Amino acid sequence: MEVKEKELEKNENLKEKTLVKEIDTNNDVEIPSSNEFAPIKEERKRTIPIFTLLIIITITILVICFSIFTMYNVFNSNIISGVTIKGLDVSNMSKSDAKYQLDNYLKEKLPEEIKLKHGDFETTLSLSQIDAQFDTKSAVNHAYHIGRQGNIFQNNLYVLSTMFGNVNIEPTLKIDKNQLTKNLEDISTQLPDKVEESSYYIEESNLVITSGKEGMVVDIDATIETIKIAVSNLSAIDTPIEMVVKSQKPNPIDIEKIYHEIRKDPVDAYYTQEPFTVYPSENGLDFNLSLEEAKATIGNQTEEEYTIPLKILYPNVTTNMIGTEAFPDLLSNFSTKYAVSNRNRTTNLILAANKINGTVLMPGETFSYNKVVGARTIAAGYKEAPIYVSGEVVDGIGGGICQITSTLYNAVVYANLEITQRTNHQFVPSYVTASRDATVVYGAIDFQFKNNRNYPIKLVCSVSNGIASFQIFGLKQEDDCQIEISSYVTGRTPTAIYSEAYKVLKRDGKIIGSELLSKDTYKRH
């Protein structure tokens, strides 16, 4: 039995060797026996742990670096490296520092004004007026959030890419568009080749309408965009900005709109007593033809000018009709004497006085003698009476009315009203002393004064029984004072008389001031 087992074992060993040799034959490699493999296996056991260790060390270093990098980015409170705003490097700055630096940088870059042009036409535009400024707060916030908006891996990757490739942020330019629109609309009216809209004006009793003409206007929206681009591009802001313009036809004449603009009803004058207030009358105005006839006059609007007749609508109660009860206080009065025997001269005095009588002047309003009295003509009823012409006394239409002027002048001075225009006669008149007269010549010399009081005044004039008299009514004020006129001759020559007049102001009988009224020169008879 033992012999058989040994033979079987030898056979098995023989088969194994035979199999190994066959395999070796197929691969052209001699495969050693199991004892021969032992040194190789031991060598591999020593090599594999070293390679693995290197990998582990590398990964560990990367993880550590990644962790440190991540922690730095997470706890970094400043803007990351490689970020610029409008070309200004804000790397590693805090938000407040970055905004401060950016505001100063842009303030230095932006001019106070920019130039706008259209052809040869140039104008300027204030950037502060249109409130042009960059939104630096949003730009800094944008810069700060770079590398902070994704996950850890995305943020780290973005930070790395920014470090090696800069990121520039363009802040948004803000402007007051409404104000800029108004400015451009105003500039549009100044263009040398601007569109001309139709217009109208009133000349005497006619409405004159002129047609418009085609021209250029500023394209507001397009020009606003052009301005924003130019201002945003700081390098191009010093050169004039070409405005965008477009051709435009004028609006057609709107006769109905014009009618409603000029047409108004008359307003009656009235007053109140508590407190004393005068509300003056106002004339109304209307077309002197129907609106349909006016439209027909305009027609197809091919003419350069059109004329529409007008009519004045008078109030039922004019300001001059308001009774003296609305003017409770007598401010001043003055009278002169005239010769009743000279009928022509007396007629002229009465005509002039009647024109002035009842005149009401509102505060700040100026009285013009020639405007109120009008031309002294035969048609107006004036007669021939003695007047001074070239140093001689001759008969002339309206002779004598200067006595009314002089009487009014003295009453005005006593009322402490403001004299704005006054001229003395060639010769000292008989009805007042030197420097207390005032002459008028229609179309050449006028007498004017201004109501410088806070309340309206009313002029009351009468010519009767050889007395020409003026009274000025109004409402007394706390600062009123008594007025005296001091006039005297300062010198005489064979051909001339020199005189002066002063207005003396008194309060409670004491002189509080004086004012030179005039220095005059008269010819001697």
Side-chain angles (χ1 to χ4, degrees), residues 425-446:
H425 287 78
Q426 288 182 316
F427 299 93
V428 178
S430 59
Y431 41 82
V432 289
T433 58
S435 287
R436 296 190 63 169
D437 62 315
T439 188
V440 288
V441 177
Y442 189 77
I445 301 173
D446 199 6

Side-chain angles (χ1 to χ4, degrees), residues 270-279 323-328 455 475:
Y270 68 99
Y271 69 94
T272 60
Q273 290 185 331
E274 295 182 1
F276 275 101
T277 306
V278 173
Y279 298 90
T324 53
E325 61 272 13
F327 307 89
Y455 190 80
L475 187 66

